[in-house]
């Protein structure tokens, strides 16, 4: 019997795996340029962190967490998202007592026990950015612009930005009550009724057509914003417009996690079917206090790396993912040649050339097949006669042209040809 990766998980294999690395680099490059520092937090945390931080009524906490006791009986949970751990780390290490905002970015695996389908996995990858400790519409706008630039830099053209405001602790409760009054008289199932009492905004997120039909006249949070939330939201919108970042106002955008206040946004892609969100985030002014910290108004986002790759595929941006691992490939013929080739390969690598060679005592035919498959531009063929002449045959695999080059000059000659 052989093993399979667990349901909802998969392996990234070469050459596609190289694209994943490149996508992550491109997505975080704008935030690094904006002064965000790298943070790495543990893959598992105290279960209570997510219960309090993400919210017990959310699907993520109530249904999707990988929770287990460790050998000492502590309840631990594989992180389902990155924001609560980042806030935990900031508070634990007192980063918030220094210069504000604290700007951090992360990249890592997240785990959610979800119904697995294309674009929705149980183990997936996010890059995220958080700015903690400042209430400033320019910071919300900055983060949105930086995420937008990341998607643009990947060449994506079909990403749309949806924008909303969820209000703050002044206006949100008033809206919440108005929404509850509206929802309580609808014809809904037991579970949804319970949700009205715990987290009514989430009911707006219900995707079932029979529920959506009844929600048509629901009050919208945007119509209930207090003056300061309204002004704040207008400022964010104005800055985005000034930066030429197009957005669509989506008064029904509530998002799945409990901690959001004011600005919320989502990046969606037209080519992904039902799992269309490639990223999302918002302001979470109350989260620090929910975790026992001081008031620390903050804003952040997380972008889905796996879905970003699917979006790139949908736009035809992944192109030819043919294997081209190395530039040069050594083909030694015989034991003596193999020892010499090993040294030559090392020399070429030190000279900055990506180089591999045939292993396993292959003959000429098998080794040349390896050269072709490696994607190398040049094969270096070394036999007994070449050794005696202190030379090597350099074969251009695109033209099949072959020339003899003295061993002492190979590195320089290849560098010249490859630059
Ligand atoms: P969230 O933390 O739910 O706001 O998610 C942020 C982004 O992570 C989403 O927009 C998706 O791109 C990605 N994401 C969330 N859940 C999954 C999942 N189960 N599988 C793959 N990507 C996901």
């Amino acid at each position: 019997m052989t093993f399979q990766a667990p349901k909802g998980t998969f392996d990234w294999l070469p050459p596609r795996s190289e694209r994943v690395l490149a996508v992550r680099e491109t997505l975080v490059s704008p935030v690094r340029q904006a002064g965000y520092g790298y943070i790495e937090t543990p893959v598992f945390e105290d279960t209570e962190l997510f219960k309090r931080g993400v919210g017990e009524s959310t699907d993520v906490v109530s249904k999707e967490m990988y929770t287990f006791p460790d050998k000492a009986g502590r309840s631990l949970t594989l992180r389902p998202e990155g924001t609560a751990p980042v806030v935990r780390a900031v508070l634990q290490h007192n980063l918030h007592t220094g210069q504000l905002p604290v700007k951090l970015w992360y990249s890592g695996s997240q785990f959610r026990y979800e119904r697995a389908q294309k674009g929705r996995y149980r183990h997936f990858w996010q890059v995220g950015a958080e700015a903690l400790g400042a209430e400033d519409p320019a910071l919300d706008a900055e983060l949105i612009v930086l995420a937008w630039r990341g998607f643009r830099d990947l060449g994506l053209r079909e990403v749309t930005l949806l924008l909303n405001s969820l209000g703050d602790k002044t206006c949100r409760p008033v809206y919440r009550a108005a929404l509850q009054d509206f929802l309580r008289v609808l014809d809904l199932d037991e579970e949804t009724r319970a949700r009205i009492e715990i987290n009514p905004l989430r009911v707006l997120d219900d995707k079932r057509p029979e529920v959506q039909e009844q929600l048509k006249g629901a009050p919208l949070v945007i119509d209930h914003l207090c003056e300061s939330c309204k002004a704040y939201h207008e400022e964010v919108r104005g800055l985005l417009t000034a930066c030429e970042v197009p957005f669509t106002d989506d008064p029904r955008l509530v998002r799945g996690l409990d901690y959001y206040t004011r600005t919320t946004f989502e990046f969606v892609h037209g080519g992904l079917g039902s799992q269309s969100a490639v990223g999302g985030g918002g302001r979470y002014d109350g989260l620090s206090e929910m975790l026992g910290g001081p008031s620390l108004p903050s804003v952040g986002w997380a972008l889905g790396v796996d879905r970003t790759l699917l979006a790139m595929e949908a736009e035809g941006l992944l192109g030819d993912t043919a294997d081209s691992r190395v530039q040069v490939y050594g083909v030694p013929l015989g034991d003596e040649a193999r020892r010499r080739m090993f040294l030559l390969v090392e020399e070429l690598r030190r000279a900055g050339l990506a180089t591999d060679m045939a292993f396993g005592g292959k003959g000429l035919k098998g080794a040349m097949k390896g050269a072709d498959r490696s994607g190398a531009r040049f094969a270096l063929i070394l036999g007994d006669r070449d050794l005696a002449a202190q030379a090597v045959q350099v074969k251009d695999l695109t033209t099949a042209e072959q020339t003899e080059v003295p061993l002492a000059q190979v590195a320089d000659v290849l560098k010249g040809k490859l630059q």
Side-chain angles (χ1 to χ4, degrees):
M1 188 198 85
T2 55
F3 289 101
Q4 306 275 314
K7 188 171 170 155
T9 72
F10 59 92
D11 304 300
W12 286 112
L13 303 172
R16 221 173 133 93
S17 50
E18 290 291 331
R19 302 303 295 261
V20 186
L21 290 178
V23 164
R24 267 163 36 193
E25 278 293 304
T26 307
L27 287 176
V28 299
S29 159
V31 286
R32 298 177 75 181
Q33 199 194 22
Y36 288 70
Y38 179 59
I39 182 169
E40 202 162 309
T41 62
V43 165
F44 53 82
E45 296 268 1
D46 189 330
T47 301
E48 203 55 34
L49 172 69
F50 299 112
K51 284 196 176 167
R52 278 212 253 157
V54 180
E56 302 229 35
S57 72
T58 60
D59 282 352
V60 168
V61 171
S62 63
K63 302 183 189 154
E64 299 172 359
M65 294 209 301
Y66 282 91
T67 298
F68 56 95
D70 74 3
K71 292 192 193 301
R74 301 176 191 92
S75 180
L76 299 174
T77 293
L78 296 183
R79 65 179 176 213
E81 60 98 51
T83 303
V86 167
V87 176
R88 194 265 310 140
V90 166
L91 296 175
Q92 179 179 339
H93 302 288
N94 283 316
L95 302 187
H96 60 293
T97 57
Q99 162 111 341
L100 296 176
V102 182
K103 289 179 157 187
L104 298 167
W105 70 272
Y106 61 84
S107 168
S109 301
Q110 312 292 347
F111 306 85
R112 294 182 195 172
Y113 192 78
E114 302 219 54
R115 257 186 314 110
Q117 53 177 284
K118 188 170 183 187
R120 193 202 265 169
Y121 310 110
R122 293 182 174 173
H123 173 206
F124 58 99
W125 208 285
Q126 287 181 337
V127 295
E130 317 283 351
L132 304 104
E135 192 177 345
D136 184 340
L139 201 54
D140 305 39
E142 168 177 286
L143 274 163
I144 294 173
V145 170
L146 294 173
W148 180 257
R149 186 171 312 140
F151 288 129
R152 283 275 137 162
D153 289 349
L154 288 172
L156 287 167
R157 289 289 168 271
E158 290 169 43
V159 173
T160 310
L161 166 60
L162 306 177
L163 186 68
N164 195 19
S165 172
L166 294 182
D168 64 6
K169 49 178 184 279
T170 314
C171 51
R172 173 94 150 261
V174 182
Y175 168 68
R176 191 173 185 273
L179 182 63
Q180 280 176 323
D181 288 345
F182 174 88
L183 295 173
R184 280 187 192 122
V185 297
L186 301 183
D187 177 22
L188 299 166
D189 59 90
E190 213 40 53
E191 197 185 336
T192 314
R193 293 198 150 277
R195 189 172 288 158
I196 296 174
E197 304 312 319
I198 311 164
N199 193 345
L201 268 74
R202 290 285 326 287
V203 180
L204 296 178
D205 229 5
D206 202 311
K207 300 283 186 292
R208 291 173 294 180
E210 66 275 18
V211 179
Q212 277 302 322
E213 186 59 33
Q214 297 189 66
L215 291 173
K216 274 189 178 141
L220 298 173
V221 63
I222 206 86
D223 298 326
H224 287 74
L225 295 183
C226 61
E227 284 311 313
S228 65
C229 281
K230 221 184 276 180
Y232 193 98
H233 194 53
E234 279 314 309
E235 185 67 20
V236 174
R237 294 175 81 252
L239 290 169
L240 293 177
T241 306
C243 285
E244 296 179 354
V245 172
F247 59 87
T248 306
D249 289 309
D250 181 354
R252 285 176 179 258
L253 179 69
V254 291
R255 299 185 39 74
L257 315 181
D258 264 2
Y259 48 57
Y260 288 110
T261 51
R262 286 196 170 166
T263 313
T264 44
F265 51 90
E266 203 154 86
F267 295 96
V268 294
H269 190 274
L272 293 187
S274 63
Q275 303 306 315
S276 62
V278 288
R283 183 157 271 284
Y284 49 92
D285 290 345
L287 180 55
S288 167
E289 283 151 304
M290 283 155 74
L291 298 180
S295 164
L296 204 61
S298 306
V299 55
W301 48 242
L303 313 181
V305 176
D306 316 78
R307 281 194 207 160
T308 301
L309 256 108
L310 290 175
M312 290 177 69
E313 192 164 62
E315 288 198 37
L317 293 169
L318 290 187
D320 183 12
T321 46
D323 204 346
S324 59
R325 295 183 292 120
V326 288
Q327 299 166 290
V328 183
Y329 193 91
V331 176
L333 305 172
D335 286 345
E336 195 51 37
R338 204 174 60 243
R339 285 182 206 111
R340 184 65 187 87
M341 183 61 82
F342 189 82
L343 295 181
L344 179 59
V345 164
E346 267 305 296
E347 181 194 338
L348 297 179
R349 289 175 185 162
R350 282 198 307 274
L353 298 170
T355 310
D356 193 9
M357 64 180 272
F359 289 97
K362 288 197 183 64
L364 179 64
K365 212 167 133 203
M368 286 307 287
K369 201 184 268 176
D372 280 333
R373 289 200 178 141
S374 76
R377 167 89 189 277
F378 294 103
L380 305 181
I381 304 155
L382 190 67
D384 287 341
R385 227 177 320 137
D386 303 304
L387 269 180
Q390 285 294 300
V392 64
Q393 306 297 321
V394 176
K395 181 169 183 179
D396 185 330
L397 294 171
T398 51
T399 62
E401 189 189 334
Q402 193 165 310
T403 48
E404 185 170 300
V405 178
L407 278 169
Q409 293 169 22
V410 190
D412 285 343
V413 169
L414 287 174
K415 274 176 96 172
K417 286 180 190 282
L418 283 163
Q419 263 146 29

